Amino acid sequence: MSGIIVRRRPWWRPALRALPLAVALGLTGTLAAALQVREVRVSGTSRFPSREVERVLGAALGTPAVAARPEALRALVRALPWVEDAHVKISLDGVVACAVSERVPVAVAVDGPARQLVDAAGNLLGPAAGTRAALEIDSFGPHPGERADLLARIPELERAWGGHLARAVRVGPRDVELGFDGAPCTVVADPGAPDGVATARRVLAAWAASHDAAPRRLDVRVPGRVAVLPAPPPEPPVGEVS
């Protein structure tokens, strides 16, 4: 008696064909886990703390190295106010290397109790705690445009006076009280009119030739005129009636 013979495929053949795929997936998962970002290295910092960059880049730790995006990490670093530029590389062994270019502070901006480093473009870079500044600019906090304009004009003002500017205080729109190194008085001027500062220098020299005491302040905000605030007369000695 004849019958239908059913031949069953061995169960192990499909499993054998799927084995390479399973191995590949397993290896991919293992490599992805092994090649995670595990370390951050920062170079190029000297004036500012590298730990701020390390903190920003710490967001990449634990992510797969192949998935981390250098440009995205660079944007995070460049968001730090004192960073001019940054170059980020990520190696397959999980190391993020970041080379930083710092902005250069040229002055300390003083606004009440706050003291912050500022660069030549007027950008605030961060706290200036413990920093001894060659130049302090005061009361420009709400007026960043005027702060940037003043900083751009400092070379002209110093040439007009013939000395180093040590302090500048905003006293009104485009009105700044300037204090130069070694000068016995301050000069109130429009930073955009350095010729007035040169005139104040000449007036101070003439005043010194004919007066015993230097003036307290020279005001050259009105073109062609110099207002002189004399020093107060010396107080008489105790017990002497003037």
Side-chain angles (χ1 to χ4, degrees), residues 8-234:
R8 296 181 179 178
R9 295 181 179 180
W11 63 267
W12 47 268
R13 287 185 178 177
L16 187 61
R17 284 196 295 268
L19 182 60
L21 178 60
V23 171
L25 290 174
L27 287 175
T28 300
T30 301
L31 287 174
L35 300 181
Q36 291 180 344
V37 175
R38 58 180 177 79
E39 185 180 352
V40 170
R41 298 175 184 172
V42 178
S43 61
T45 56
S46 58
R47 302 179 183 89
F48 299 92
S50 61
R51 63 179 178 273
E52 293 187 16
V53 180
E54 294 168 356
R55 174 183 56 80
V56 169
L57 295 176
L61 293 174
T63 61
V66 293
R69 297 174 54 198
E71 283 304 313
L73 295 177
R74 176 174 178 257
L76 293 176
V77 176
R78 292 189 67 190
L80 294 171
W82 53 268
V83 173
E84 177 73 28
D85 202 356
H87 298 279
V88 177
K89 294 182 180 180
I90 304 173
S91 63
L92 288 178
D93 61 349
V95 177
V96 175
C98 179
V100 175
S101 298
E102 299 177 325
R103 297 184 189 274
V104 179
V106 298
V108 170
V110 181
D111 289 287
R115 293 170 55 85
Q116 294 200 69
L117 296 172
V118 61
D119 68 4
N123 299 304
L124 297 177
L125 310 183
T131 301
R132 186 174 181 179
L135 170 63
E136 286 191 352
I137 54 176
D138 199 334
S139 303
F140 283 87
H143 310 280
E146 292 183 28
R147 177 175 62 222
D149 181 67
L150 169 68
L151 290 167
R153 296 182 184 278
I154 285 176
E156 297 177 79
L157 296 171
E158 291 183 335
R159 282 194 297 270
W161 182 262
H164 172 71
L165 181 64
R167 185 172 175 80
V169 182
R170 184 185 185 274
V171 295
R174 302 201 61 78
D175 296 337
V176 181
E177 187 173 29
L178 306 170
F180 293 92
D181 272 347
C185 64
T186 60
V187 178
V188 182
D190 175 356
D195 289 346
V197 175
T199 300
R201 189 73 172 91
R202 292 193 295 270
V203 169
L204 177 62
W207 182 276
S210 57
H211 295 76
D212 293 332
R216 293 179 61 185
R217 186 176 65 204
L218 301 173
D219 191 329
V220 293
R221 286 175 288 181
V222 178
R225 299 184 63 182
V226 179
V228 180
L229 178 63

